[in-house]
Amino acid sequence: MKRMGRASTKPELLIRRELHRRGLRFRINHPALPGRPDIVFTRARLAVFVDGCFWHRCPQHGVMPKNNREWWEAKLQRNVERDREKDTALSALGWQVRHFWEHEDPAAVASEIDQTWRQLLTTPKPDSRSTQDV
Ligand SMILES: [Zn+2]
C-alpha cells in the first residue's frame, strides 16, 4: 500500500487535465500534508483525494478477494480507517477535504472541485474578519 497510490493513477490524471483546462492551478502529492493529498489548492486550503475503488472500498466496486479473505478484510478496513484519520488531521489544520472515487466522471469531478475552490476563496476566513464585526 505504501508504494501503491503514490504514483498518479489514470483517473487522477484525467481530473488534473480537466482542472488545468479550467485554468485551475494546484500542487500534487503535497508532501507536507497528512496523507499527501493527490491534488492541493494551497490558497483555498483545499485537499482532494482520488480514491481507488478497490483500496478504499468503493460501495460499487469494492470487491473482496476470495483468497485470504480475512487478511484482505482487515487490510482494506485499515485503509478506510486511515483515510478518516487523514481527514481529521487535515481539518484540524484548517483544510477542507474532498474525496472522489476513481470511477467518477473526471469532468464532473473537476466541476465540483472548481465550484468548491471558488466558494472557499470567496468565503472570508475567520481570522480575516475585522474585530468590529465580532
Ligand atoms: Zn468504484
Side-chain angles (χ1 to χ4, degrees):
M1 189 57 198
K2 276 219 172 64
R3 291 248 167 267
M4 308 206 58
R6 279 300 150 254
S8 299
T9 57
K10 190 156 181 265
E12 191 191 323
L13 291 177
L14 293 173
I15 292 165
R16 272 156 48 186
R17 193 178 302 161
E18 278 293 324
L19 291 169
H20 260 287
R21 224 168 43 82
R22 288 156 200 260
L24 274 74
R25 295 297 174 260
F26 45 85
R27 296 189 57 174
I28 56 166
N29 301 126
H30 201 309
L33 289 175
R36 292 180 63 154
D38 297 319
I39 301 168
V40 168
F41 299 87
T42 26
R43 204 153 52 92
R45 291 179 92 75
L46 170 63
V48 174
F49 292 91
V50 182
D51 293 335
C53 291
F54 174 73
W55 293 102
H56 300 269
R57 306 193 80 172
C58 156
Q60 290 172 46
H61 314 103
V63 288
M64 196 57 67
K66 285 198 180 71
N67 292 326
N68 295 321
R69 201 185 172 93
E70 265 173 46
W71 184 83
W72 278 110
E73 178 81 40
K75 183 179 181 62
L76 297 179
Q77 191 51 42
R78 214 159 50 230
N79 282 350
V80 174
E81 280 160 19
R82 216 157 22 207
D83 286 343
R84 298 294 83 82
E85 285 166 18
K86 287 186 282 191
D87 294 354
T88 308
L90 280 164
S91 40
L93 293 168
W95 287 77
Q96 292 287 320
V97 188
R98 292 292 182 278
H99 283 266
F100 296 95
W101 292 112
E102 64 178 0
H103 72 249
E104 291 186 74
D105 172 37
V109 170
S111 291
E112 205 175 317
I113 294 173
D114 190 358
Q115 223 174 6
T116 309
W117 176 75
R118 274 167 219 286
Q119 251 163 33
L120 288 170
L121 284 185
T122 50
T123 308
K125 302 269 182 304
D127 56 356
S128 66
R129 224 178 352 180
S130 99
T131 44
Q132 286 167 331
D133 295 335
V134 181

